[in-house]
Each structure stands twice: as structure tokens, then as C-alpha cells.
Amino acid sequence: GDSVTQMEGPVTLSEEAFLTINCTYTATGYPSLFWYVQYPGEGLQLLLKATKADDKGSNKGFEATYRKETTSFHLEKGSVQVSDSAVYFCALSAPLVFGQGTRLTINP
Amino acid sequence: NAGVMQNPRHLVRRRGQEARLRCSPMKGHSHVYWYRQLPEEGLKFMVYLQKENIIDESGMPKERFSAEFPKEGPSILRIQQVVRGDSAAYFCASSPKGDTQYFGPGTRLTVL
């Protein structure tokens, strides 16, 4: 069946560091790909999405490119902030299949 | 435009009781999904509904769990005779067309 594998956390960085969270997937067909973010005690918020190969999703300085040849959708941000501390989930549709989540902590 | 609403936010039940979780989708959304998140784990799909129809319940446990999305009113996830292993966060998501899903804040169920 379909599956998503994320890099294991937790990940701890200093403010203004470069962020990469790896995500690879296994799926039949051509799924849409998503990154969601979850802040403590809250639900998931859609961060960005891509619906076909080579699409780049972007939002709030985060980016991810749908790479069909490597079945990947890695999340990147050039300069992280303390407010980016959260758990990040990679997912494919639909219904959504989630990775296990990566807990990110940014230190000032 | 209000987001996805879930209530209650926190629910405590004793073993053997029933739990009812409610989800009101965003306005204009006719697709509803339920997911369960166990502590320190990702979300697992449970059931996908449209108005008055269950489309996919492949993630639902075979016993004690049921879901509905009536013509009027919220979607309900019902857990009968709860056990400690049912303790989790239950999230509802809605979608206008079955693609991008928007999540509610979740109901955190604790079974004593």
C-alpha cells in the first residue's frame, strides 16, 4: 500500500539556520503531496502542497518540490525562526497517508 | 469563514462508556474524514464520508466504532464500550472536492 517515510527527529537547530526535512513516498498512480504543521495542543495546518511532478509548493518561506524520479518531497527553509518550532508531517492523498512526523525545535 | 469545528475538545470517559465526537465541516465542504493520532505517532486514517454516505471505512476498527454524516448536522464518530487503548486525539478534516483537507483542532479522548 501507499506509504510515507520522513526523516526521524527530533531536529534541533539554531535560529537562522537552514532546514531540510526529508520525505520519500511509495504510491501507485500520481498522488498529491502535502506538508502539514502541528503546533502543541492544536490540529494540523496545511503548510504547502504540490499536485503533480516538478510542482513546487511554497508558503511562509518553506518550499518543497515534487520529485517523481526520486519519489521525494523534501521540505526546506532558508532561515528558520523560533516560531517554526512544531511537528511537521509529510502526507500523500487521498485519504491522507501520513509520515510519522518530525519534531523541530529552534533555539534562539 | 469559520474553520472546521470539533467538540468537545477534551473528553474523559470510563472504560465501558460511550464516546461521541462531533465535527462540523467548513462551509461548502461536503467531504469529511476522521483520523486518529496516538501519542507520539502520526495520524492514521479511519473513515471518509460524504453527506449520508460512507465512502471508505477501511481504517475503522471492525467493532465498537461507527461514523455518520447526516443530511443535517455535524458528522459523528461514535465509540462504544471504550477501552484504555482508545485514548488518543481524534481529528476531523473537511474538503470541498476530496483533495486538499482542512483539519479541526481535534478531540482528545482519555479513557480512565
Side-chain angles (χ1 to χ4, degrees):
Chain A
D2 295 354
S3 66
V4 175
T5 302
Q6 283 181 238
M7 79 186 271
E8 292 196 17
V11 174
T12 302
L13 297 172
S14 297
E15 205 165 21
E16 299 184 3
F18 183 86
L19 168 71
T20 301
I21 300 178
N22 290 337
C23 171
T24 56
Y25 67 91
T26 303
T28 53
Y30 303 97
S32 295
L33 299 172
F34 304 84
W35 277 99
Y36 284 86
V37 57
Q38 185 178 32
Y39 297 100
E42 297 184 11
L44 276 69
Q45 298 177 23
L46 177 65
L47 183 59
L48 54 84
K49 70 174 186 178
T51 57
K52 61 183 186 297
D54 299 325
D55 266 2
K56 177 187 281 188
S58 61
N59 186 26
K60 299 181 182 178
F62 290 90
E63 293 182 340
T65 301
Y66 190 161
R67 301 283 187 206
K68 185 165 172 285
E69 64 276 11
T70 54
T71 61
S72 64
F73 193 54
H74 304 322
L75 182 68
E76 296 182 336
K77 186 175 185 182
S79 176
V80 292
Q81 306 299 314
V82 172
S83 58
D84 294 326
S85 298
V87 181
Y88 291 80
F89 292 96
C90 184
L92 62 83
S93 65
L96 291 172
V97 176
F98 285 90
Q100 69 271 35
T102 301
R103 183 176 299 278
L104 173 67
T105 301
I106 307 299
N107 294 321
Chain B
N1 188 11
V4 178
M5 310 282 283
Q6 288 187 251
N7 66 82
R9 294 290 305 275
H10 299 274
L11 182 61
V12 179
R13 286 287 178 265
R14 296 190 181 280
R15 281 180 295 170
Q17 291 184 320
E18 178 180 287
R20 275 183 190 247
L21 288 62
R22 296 176 191 78
C23 169
S24 297
M26 289 177 70
K27 187 176 181 180
H29 288 194
S30 59
H31 300 249
V32 166
Y33 304 79
W34 286 93
Y35 295 85
R36 177 165 63 177
Q37 184 179 34
L38 294 171
E40 301 300 320
E41 292 188 14
L43 281 75
K44 296 288 193 286
F45 166 73
M46 299 182 75
V47 62
Y48 165 32
L49 310 104
Q50 293 184 31
K51 284 285 187 181
E52 300 185 278
N53 287 303
I54 296 175
I55 306 301
D56 181 352
E57 56 182 348
S58 58
M60 286 275 272
K62 292 292 183 282
E63 298 178 350
R64 302 188 297 108
F65 285 72
S66 62
E68 62 177 8
F69 188 16
K71 187 176 179 182
E72 301 291 338
S75 175
I76 307 286
L77 179 67
R78 182 180 178 210
I79 311 172
Q80 295 178 289
Q81 300 176 322
V82 296
V83 301
R84 289 218 173 108
D86 297 333
S87 294
Y90 292 83
F91 291 96
C92 166
S94 74
S95 170
K97 297 179 187 176
D99 185 16
T100 303
Q101 295 175 31
Y102 299 87
F103 282 79
T107 295
R108 280 154 182 83
L109 172 65
T110 302
V111 179
L112 301 177

